[in-house]
Amino acid sequence: MNLRQLLLLVGAGTTLVKSLTINELRKNMGLGVNLGNTFDFKKDWSETVIKDENAPLWPDSEVTVKEAIEGYKQLGFNSIRIPVRWYTSSTPSTKTPIEPNLFKSVDTVVRTIIDNDMYVVINLETNNYYMNGFISEDEDVKSETYDSYKGTWKAIADYFKDYDEHLLFESMNEVGFWDSVWSSRTGEGDRQKAYDILRQVNQEFVNAVRSSDSYNAERWLLIEGYASDPILSQDHFLKITSDPVVKVIVSMYYYEPIEFTVIDKYANWGTIDDKKQLNKIINDLRYRYVIQNVPVIITKYGTLIRNRSIDMVSNYITSVANATTSQEIPSFLADHGDFIDRSQTPLSFIDESLEEKFKEMGKRFNPPSSEVTEEITEEATGTEEEVCWSLEEGYPCCSSSTTKVSYTDEQGEWGVENGQWCGLPK
């Protein structure tokens, strides 16, 4: 049996590839960024497709997929979240297929991200059809809504099943709340019922993915916090979704205080009290979840730029990135082209000082790149071929001398590191 045949067996459902622990995942994900205004808007994908990494990623830019992903990595990011609106129709049903061109386009980006040894999260951009359907008093409507939701995730899971744990799935986006059931503003309604509905939706997501095969059996999954709110999601009415392999992560956004981040008026941020509020919320999340071995990811944070000084904006987003990542909570900058210039290569932050800060944080929070490891190995041994012989086969060399032999063929001995095959030094 050669290596390619063995890889096919692995993809078919064997368990030779080591599963990532949450500590490994947190360490490897480092700083994250959202690929906003790319797949999260209404578009007829039957008219276009992103065929490969050399195709333009955005319709108004000549920047290719490869250049964009490499650009994000160069700016200090090691993870990318891809929000996806999977349907053009506002009322998808069990009979509504996902456009193949959209699958192909998202796949091209996912593959390029993983090829760059980065991590990627893809979600389901839900809409009012789903949110209203989940609580409909018409049982036929409710049943169709859940069937559509489960069917969509089963289709997504099946399509991407052979990607390893560099790929994570996220159940939905920030609309996971029901004000007509319970109002968080007034306290009126049935609070427990509202949280129970969210738990059921998250449970159907987990069940749908786990019913698929290959890597989906142990893939890390992000379940939505209540309204994606970092305070409401700490409520003990929120029960963690059941999972046979216990690999779920609570996801939420960070846009506190909304007077600065969301409301379009003159606003200030950066006082001692502002930073105390940030640190308190993050510390509370850590005590509510992280120290109890329930991981958390902030899938979006950011702020409006209008009517705010660039220094204040820079202070805010770097403070959030530092506060979350240093507390073992990976976070993803919300960018739609407001912070990062997508019009030319290499990608760059619109503000140079902000770029310097993110590059510096990337060095602190991201794992060392394989390129750095190879440079160190080459300097220590004299020639790359002596140690990293597996490069000729398209695989990296194992970085640890303690990595166990998992397979041997005519080329040499193979091991597994971080869910990937590597060649052991001869």
Side-chain angles (χ1 to χ4, degrees):
M1 179 185 296
N2 61 32
L3 180 62
R4 288 180 177 83
Q5 291 172 320
L6 185 62
L7 288 174
L8 287 175
L9 284 177
V10 172
T14 60
T15 57
L16 289 177
V17 176
K18 184 174 79 69
S19 179
L20 286 175
T21 67
I22 188 54
N23 288 332
E24 291 170 330
L25 184 69
R26 279 192 291 240
K27 180 180 178 182
N28 292 347
M29 290 185 76
L31 293 180
V33 63
N34 272 266
L35 199 64
N37 281 0
T38 308
F39 298 107
D40 51 345
F41 59 92
K42 191 173 182 178
K43 177 179 178 179
D44 185 359
W45 282 96
S46 65
E47 300 295 326
T48 184
V49 60
I50 301 175
K51 295 181 178 180
D52 55 45
E53 65 178 12
N54 296 312
L57 180 54
W58 299 290
D60 56 349
S61 172
E62 294 299 317
V63 177
T64 67
V65 174
K66 184 175 187 292
E67 292 169 335
I69 303 310
E70 291 177 348
Y72 283 122
K73 186 157 189 172
Q74 183 268 335
L75 291 175
F77 300 105
N78 208 51
S79 301
I80 296 178
R81 178 176 180 260
I82 309 176
V84 184
R85 185 181 297 274
W86 290 99
Y87 295 103
T88 301
S89 170
S90 58
T91 57
S93 70
T94 53
K95 298 179 182 178
T96 307
I98 297 175
E99 172 57 50
N101 282 352
L102 176 56
F103 262 139
K104 171 63 178 176
S105 298
V106 175
D107 182 42
T108 297
V109 179
V110 169
R111 185 181 302 276
T112 307
I113 293 171
I114 295 176
D115 284 347
N116 279 273
D117 198 23
M118 300 168 74
Y119 287 76
V120 55
V121 176
I122 58 177
N123 83 336
L124 167 63
E125 287 286 302
T126 43
N127 55 27
N128 288 335
Y129 165 79
Y130 282 112
M131 293 302 104
N132 294 334
F134 289 139
I135 60 171
S136 176
E137 294 182 359
D138 185 324
E139 289 301 320
D140 289 337
V141 172
K142 181 188 289 189
S143 178
E144 176 63 30
T145 304
Y146 273 103
D147 287 345
S148 173
Y149 180 72
K150 292 183 288 185
T152 298
W153 268 116
K154 182 62 163 62
I156 296 169
D158 286 344
Y159 189 94
F160 293 99
K161 65 181 181 180
D162 292 327
Y163 283 107
D164 67 14
E165 287 184 295
H166 280 77
L167 173 63
L168 297 81
F169 295 147
E170 182 184 9
S171 61
M172 50 184 173
N173 60 348
E174 76 275 7
V175 292
F177 68 99
W178 294 270
D179 200 53
S180 62
V181 177
W182 171 69
S183 172
S184 60
R185 297 186 300 276
T186 66
E188 296 178 353
D190 191 334
R191 178 176 164 199
Q192 183 64 74
K193 181 179 179 180
Y195 279 86
D196 286 346
I197 294 170
L198 175 65
R199 188 177 189 275
Q200 181 181 357
V201 174
N202 280 328
Q203 188 68 63
E204 297 293 0
F205 156 70
V206 172
N207 293 347
V209 175
R210 295 294 183 234
S211 70
S212 183
D213 56 6
S214 193
Y215 286 99
N216 290 322
E218 294 201 9
R219 188 179 308 285
W220 281 99
L221 303 178
L222 280 66
I223 59 171
E224 205 71 13
Y226 196 83
S228 290
D229 184 280
I231 298 175
L232 294 177
S233 297
Q234 294 179 33
D235 198 312
H236 286 271
F237 277 81
L238 177 61
K239 305 301 181 184
I240 302 302
T241 304
S242 175
D243 180 28
V245 294
V246 196
K247 298 184 76 170
V248 294
I249 301 169
V250 181
S251 73
M252 61 200 71
Y253 292 175
Y254 193 92
Y255 283 94
E256 302 292 332
I258 61 171
E259 291 79 12
F260 179 75
T261 60
V262 175
I263 299 176
D264 189 9
K265 65 178 183 180
Y266 290 96
N268 297 309
W269 191 90
T271 66
I272 293 177
D273 287 340
D274 289 333
K275 295 193 176 183
K276 281 184 177 178
Q277 179 193 37
L278 166 63
N279 290 323
K280 182 181 185 309
I281 293 174
I282 300 306
N283 284 332
D284 287 348
L285 283 172
R286 178 173 172 77
Y287 283 110
R288 170 70 171 89
Y289 291 112
V290 178
I291 66 172
Q292 299 183 52
N293 294 320
V294 179
V296 174
I297 290 181
I298 303 294
T299 51
K300 279 178 74 172
Y301 69 89
T303 178
L304 291 174
I305 296 177
R306 180 182 171 86
N307 296 328
R308 290 138 179 81
S309 72
I310 188 61
D311 288 340
M312 203 169 293
V313 169
S314 175
N315 187 14
Y316 178 80
I317 63 176
T318 54
S319 294
V320 174
N322 271 301
T324 53
T325 314
S326 62
Q327 292 288 355
E328 301 180 284
I329 299 177
S331 56
F332 289 72
L333 174 65
D335 182 58
H336 299 85
D338 299 325
F339 299 115
I340 299 172
D341 182 3
R342 301 172 169 184
S343 64
Q344 56 186 351
T345 56
L347 296 190
S348 62
F349 275 86
I350 295 172
D351 179 69
E352 292 183 3
S353 64
L354 190 56
E355 179 169 324
E356 292 177 3
K357 292 175 182 177
F358 267 87
K359 286 182 175 180
E360 187 275 329
M361 286 191 294
K363 292 177 181 178
R364 283 191 290 120
F365 293 130
N366 295 341
S369 68
S370 57
E371 293 179 2
V372 173
T373 303
E374 289 170 13
E375 288 176 5
I376 295 173
T377 301
E378 193 171 355
E379 289 177 3
T381 61
T383 61
E384 189 174 355
E385 284 82 6
E386 285 182 311
V387 175
C388 220
W389 56 270
S390 54
L391 285 175
E392 295 181 3
E393 299 295 316
Y395 298 92
C397 188
C398 298
S399 59
S400 174
S401 60
T402 61
T403 299
K404 295 181 179 179
V405 177
S406 298
Y407 179 69
T408 302
D409 62 11
E410 61 271 16
Q411 279 80 28
E413 296 176 333
W414 297 89
V416 176
E417 291 183 348
N418 296 323
Q420 291 186 324
W421 288 100
C422 57
L424 284 114
K426 289 185 179 179

